[in-house]
């Protein structure tokens, strides 16, 4: 039987060690490193599928927790699965819902069998376990499903971090034991909070379980960025080299560049679409708040050289006008730009790795990127 997912590591940059690869799924091949736009409710906010294709999205995410509550996985399965339901014929990854459930700190209770929580929609009591999370994702039919994990709070003590990590490992084994869909790959998730020894232990334990790919969870949860980079450097030597590595919830341009330098293959985040709706756009110099008065008579594109629809056709002044007039088109144009900016950034990164010059790319990019204007 053919594997649901295969990963080919094409090369490592001779200058930096950054990885260039390809993930093959039932719905297409994903060139890595890759940024994956988030479509939490089976839609990337403000975008249609053809617009996602136009910005160069290779794979998008949907969320188990939200789709379980509304419209329900049975309805999605009846519609022919998530790809047909949302008219996206390319790869899809579903998050297990673990992060969303554990963020409901006042409305959930964790036990070994699973988590009891209250729906944020209507307050009804719900239960989610590793087995149920897998069953929901099998019904949704994504190409990549994620194991149900426990995300440690930040900050937390070592005992709390160890307890969450060990439960994540036990739940990962239960997820793997219950997963049956042959055309879907199940990824494990490394935890361990900000304890380097725990991160190494988690990476080794999950590697021994032989998942087809690995998420890195529990980072980008409020910690200083250097702390996240330290954790990546600590755990990466213990991650399987021939499996894709997915840093969950990371999407600012500087973090993508720094993550690739440390061996990450896949990223996702709601950041580009969320900040776009508030008038913040990405540039190589850092974030730009297009609603600011200084852009009222700026007739240049958001980013000179960007080939997105917004930059090819409109000025900063016009897009600022749309936001000030509370026209929805402003948010759509900013979203198109931010997603295209990130897919172009990842393409530039892949080109640099291919040419064995990603070390130079990293140095030049970070020198020009104003982190004081960061997120």
């Amino acid at each position: 039987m053919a594997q649901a997912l295969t990963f080919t590591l094409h090369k490592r940059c001779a200058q930096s060690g950054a990885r260039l690869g390809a993930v093959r799924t039932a719905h297409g091949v994903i060139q890595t490193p890759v940024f994956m736009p988030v479509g939490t409710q089976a839609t990337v906010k403000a975008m249609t599928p053809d617009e996602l294709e136009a910005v160069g999205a290779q794979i998008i995410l949907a969320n188990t927790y939200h789709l379980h509550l509304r419209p329900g996985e049975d309805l999605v399965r009846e519609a022919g699965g998530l790809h047909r339901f949302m008219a996206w014929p390319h790869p899809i990854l579903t998050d297990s819902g673990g992060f969303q459930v554990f963020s409901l700190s006042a409305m959930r209770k964790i036990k070994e069998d699973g988590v009891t929580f209250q729906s944020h929609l209507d307050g009804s009591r719900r239960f989610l376990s590793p087995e149920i999370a897998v069953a929901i994702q099998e019904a949704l039919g994504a190409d990549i499903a994620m194991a149900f994990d426990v995300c440690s709070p930040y900050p937390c003590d070592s005992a709390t971090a160890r307890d969450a990590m060990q439960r994540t490992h036990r739940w990962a084994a239960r997820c793997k034991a219950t997963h049956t869909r042959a055309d879907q790959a199940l990824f494990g998730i490394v935890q361990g909070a900000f304890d380097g020894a725990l991160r190494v232990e988690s990476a080794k334990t999950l590697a021994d379980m032989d998942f087809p790919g690995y998420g890195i969870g529990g980072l980008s949860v409020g910690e200083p960025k250097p702390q996240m980079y330290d954790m990546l450097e600590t755990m990466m030597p213990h991650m399987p080299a021939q499996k894709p590595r997915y840093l969950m919830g990371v999407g600012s341009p500087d973090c993508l560049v720094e993550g690739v330098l440390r061996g990450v293959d896949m990223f996702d985040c709601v950041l580009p679409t969320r900040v776009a709706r508030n008038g913040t756009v990405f540039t190589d110099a850092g974030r730009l708040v297009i609603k600011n008065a200084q852009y009222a008579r700026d007739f240049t594109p958001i980013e000179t050289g960007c080939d997105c629809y917004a930059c090819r056709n409109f000025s900063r002044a016009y897009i600022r006008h749309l936001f000030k007039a509370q026209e929805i088109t402003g948010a759509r144009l900013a979203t198109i730009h931010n997603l295209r900016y990130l897919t172009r950034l990842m393409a530039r990164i892949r080109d640099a790795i291919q040419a064995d010059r990603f070390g130079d790319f990293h140095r030049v990019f970070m020198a020009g990127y104003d982190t004081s204007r960061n997120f």
Side-chain angles (χ1 to χ4, degrees):
M1 180 182 295
Q3 292 179 287
L5 178 147
T6 59
F7 176 66
T8 303
L9 181 59
H10 290 310
K11 70 172 297 178
R12 291 185 176 88
C13 173
Q15 195 180 63
S16 67
R19 293 153 54 95
L20 185 73
V23 177
R24 184 176 297 276
T25 75
H27 287 89
V29 178
I30 306 154
Q31 303 300 325
T32 63
V34 64
F35 175 78
M36 305 179 285
V38 175
T40 302
Q41 312 258 18
T43 180
V44 176
K45 286 183 170 57
M47 300 286 285
T48 61
D50 59 331
E51 289 170 333
L52 287 169
E53 290 179 336
V55 301
Q58 300 184 65
I59 173 175
I60 61 175
L61 272 70
N63 184 262
T64 295
Y65 167 84
H66 289 282
L67 294 178
H68 173 56
L69 294 182
R70 181 177 56 194
E73 65 273 14
D74 290 339
L75 186 147
V76 174
R77 176 163 44 195
E78 183 181 343
L82 202 51
H83 294 87
R84 184 170 296 177
F85 187 54
M86 62 188 297
W88 176 255
H90 309 292
I92 298 175
L93 182 151
T94 44
D95 187 354
S96 71
F99 180 81
Q100 287 72 29
V101 168
F102 288 100
S103 67
L104 300 171
S105 57
M107 299 189 290
R108 51 101 168 127
K109 186 171 184 179
I110 308 171
K111 292 185 177 180
E112 186 61 26
D113 59 343
V115 185
T116 302
F117 63 97
Q118 285 183 276
S119 164
H120 73 287
L121 296 176
D122 60 11
S124 61
R125 290 180 63 80
R126 303 292 184 110
F127 177 74
L128 199 57
S129 68
E131 292 79 9
I132 293 172
V134 167
I136 294 169
Q137 292 181 87
E138 290 193 341
L140 295 173
D143 300 275
I144 301 172
M146 302 302 296
F148 193 51
D149 63 325
V150 184
C151 185
S152 302
Y154 176 80
C156 70
D157 56 53
S158 288
T160 300
R162 176 171 289 279
D163 181 68
M165 179 199 72
Q166 291 176 337
R167 180 166 282 158
T168 290
H169 296 167
R170 294 192 296 272
W171 285 5
R174 287 166 57 185
C175 286
K176 189 170 184 182
T178 198
H179 185 257
T180 61
R181 185 156 180 163
D183 61 348
Q184 181 184 74
L186 177 69
F187 282 21
I189 302 178
V190 175
Q191 289 288 351
F194 295 91
D195 183 316
L198 292 182
R199 285 284 173 178
V200 170
E201 180 181 346
S202 187
K204 290 180 175 179
T205 299
L206 289 166
D208 288 343
M209 294 186 189
D210 194 27
F211 286 93
Y214 296 90
I216 301 167
L219 299 181
S220 191
V221 290
E223 78 281 4
K225 290 181 179 181
Q227 195 171 0
M228 176 175 71
Y229 303 149
D230 287 346
M231 288 298 99
L232 290 175
E233 291 171 5
T234 297
M235 75 177 76
M236 281 306 188
H238 307 282
M239 301 281 285
Q242 300 301 320
K243 303 288 182 69
R245 303 159 173 178
Y246 162 30
L247 180 55
M248 306 175 73
V250 170
S252 66
D254 57 324
C255 287
L256 298 184
V257 173
E258 296 285 4
V260 169
L261 182 70
R262 291 163 175 81
V264 176
D265 305 303
M266 304 168 69
F267 304 83
D268 85 284
C269 197
V270 298
L271 181 70
T273 53
R274 176 177 290 167
V275 301
R277 297 193 298 277
N278 295 318
T280 297
V281 290
F282 295 158
T283 76
D284 277 0
R287 70 182 178 96
L288 184 153
V289 181
I290 207 159
K291 293 188 291 186
N292 289 351
Q294 70 193 87
Y295 304 115
R297 287 179 170 81
D298 187 338
F299 302 113
T300 62
I302 297 172
E303 175 88 322
T304 300
C306 178
D307 64 358
C308 80
Y309 176 77
C311 288
R312 283 188 288 111
N313 292 281
F314 305 105
S315 66
R316 294 175 176 182
Y318 177 69
I319 297 172
R320 177 184 184 272
H321 155 70
L322 294 177
F323 273 101
K324 301 304 285 188
Q326 298 185 344
E327 290 287 347
I328 196 170
T329 303
R332 282 183 31 78
L333 292 176
T335 299
I336 287 169
H337 169 78
N338 280 357
L339 291 178
R340 179 57 183 156
Y341 175 86
L342 291 187
T343 61
R344 285 183 63 246
L345 176 61
M346 301 314 287
R348 291 156 61 197
I349 287 171
R350 292 193 297 270
D351 288 345
I353 296 172
Q354 183 64 54
D356 289 317
R357 57 176 183 82
F358 181 70
D360 291 338
F361 181 96
H362 170 270
R363 175 179 51 79
V364 171
F365 183 89
M366 294 307 299
Y369 191 89
D370 184 357
T371 55
S372 70
R373 291 195 283 154
N374 206 1
F375 305 91

